[in-house]
């Protein structure tokens, strides 16, 4: 399961009642994206929630792909967002707090932790591969990316 399958809408029940409908808790579920980001749902949400939903749409759902919002761009951008927070020195708990403030989303910090671990392992594998290919600059780049993720 991708980390984006484990990102949830905060105040889910409250939102569902404002919208007078039910939708999945998972933020990146197709039905959630459809409901919150297409159609007229926004008007039924309180203004704080509207702002967060709009921010999310602006930051992650701004592509022009035909398959939008099912093209995968949102998930890719969100993963980038998580890695950037880590590179800025945020730990898993702090990352969960930030996504709550930014977009009214939440995740379990344990899931964020395993995602970050996995990302570092992926970088390590890529780094090792780049070394064997004598691709120095690529290897250096990856090593720097890894340092950003691990030092915090
Ligand atoms: Zn796209």
């Amino acid at each position: 399961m991708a980390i984006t399958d484990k990102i949830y809408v905060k105040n889910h029940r409250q939102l569902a009642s404002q919208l007078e409908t039910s939708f999945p808790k998972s933020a990146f579920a197709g039905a959630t994206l459809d409901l919150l980001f297409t159609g007229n749902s926004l008007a039924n949400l309180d203004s704080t929630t509207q702002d967060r939903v709009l921010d999310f749409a602006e930051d992650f759902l701004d592509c022009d792909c035909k398959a939008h919002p099912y093209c995968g761009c949102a998930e890719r951008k969100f993963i980038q967002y998580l890695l950037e927070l880590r590179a800025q020195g945020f730990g898993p708990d702090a990352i969960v707090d930030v996504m709550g403030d930014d977009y009214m989303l939440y995740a379990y910090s344990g899931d964020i932790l395993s995602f970050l671990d996995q990302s570092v392992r992926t970088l390590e594998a890529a780094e090792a591969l780049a070394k064997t290919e004598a691709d120095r600059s690529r290897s250096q780049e990856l090593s720097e990316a890894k340092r950003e993720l691990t030092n915090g």
Side-chain angles (χ1 to χ4, degrees):
M1 235 162 113
I3 184 65
T4 45
D5 293 328
K6 298 175 189 165
I7 306 295
Y8 306 101
V9 176
K10 229 174 159 176
N11 309 329
H12 175 260
R13 197 179 296 181
Q14 197 184 321
L15 258 70
S17 100
Q18 285 179 25
L19 295 169
E20 296 179 335
T21 186
S22 63
F23 60 95
K25 249 187 181 176
S26 172
F28 289 90
T32 308
L33 295 178
D34 270 348
L35 181 73
L36 288 177
F37 305 107
T38 58
N40 309 316
S41 298
L42 266 185
N44 299 317
L45 297 170
D46 65 76
S47 64
T48 315
T49 309
Q50 276 186 21
D51 287 348
R52 298 299 182 280
V53 170
L54 283 173
D55 283 347
F56 181 87
E58 255 175 49
D59 293 346
F60 301 109
L61 294 163
D62 58 342
C63 68
D64 299 319
C65 306
K66 262 194 183 159
H68 178 85
Y70 306 110
C71 48
C73 293
E75 286 85 346
R76 270 197 302 281
K77 285 180 190 163
F78 195 81
I79 284 172
Q80 194 58 41
Y81 165 75
L82 293 176
L83 292 175
E84 275 165 18
L85 288 176
R86 180 67 193 120
Q88 284 166 33
F90 291 94
D93 289 325
I95 289 176
V96 172
D97 287 345
V98 173
M99 74 170 79
D101 290 345
D102 284 355
Y103 306 113
M104 249 185 217
L105 298 174
Y106 78 91
Y108 295 101
S109 53
D111 287 337
I112 300 292
L113 182 65
S114 4
F115 161 73
L116 294 172
D117 279 352
Q118 185 57 50
S119 304
V120 170
R121 277 199 295 274
T122 307
L123 280 172
E124 273 168 358
E127 194 185 355
L129 189 69
K131 264 182 193 151
T132 61
E133 288 171 354
D135 185 350
R136 276 259 177 93
S137 67
R138 179 73 186 139
S139 153
Q140 232 160 32
E141 224 174 84
L142 292 166
S143 157
E144 264 160 41
K146 194 182 67 184
R147 208 170 42 239
E148 279 187 342
L149 286 181
T150 46
N151 280 359

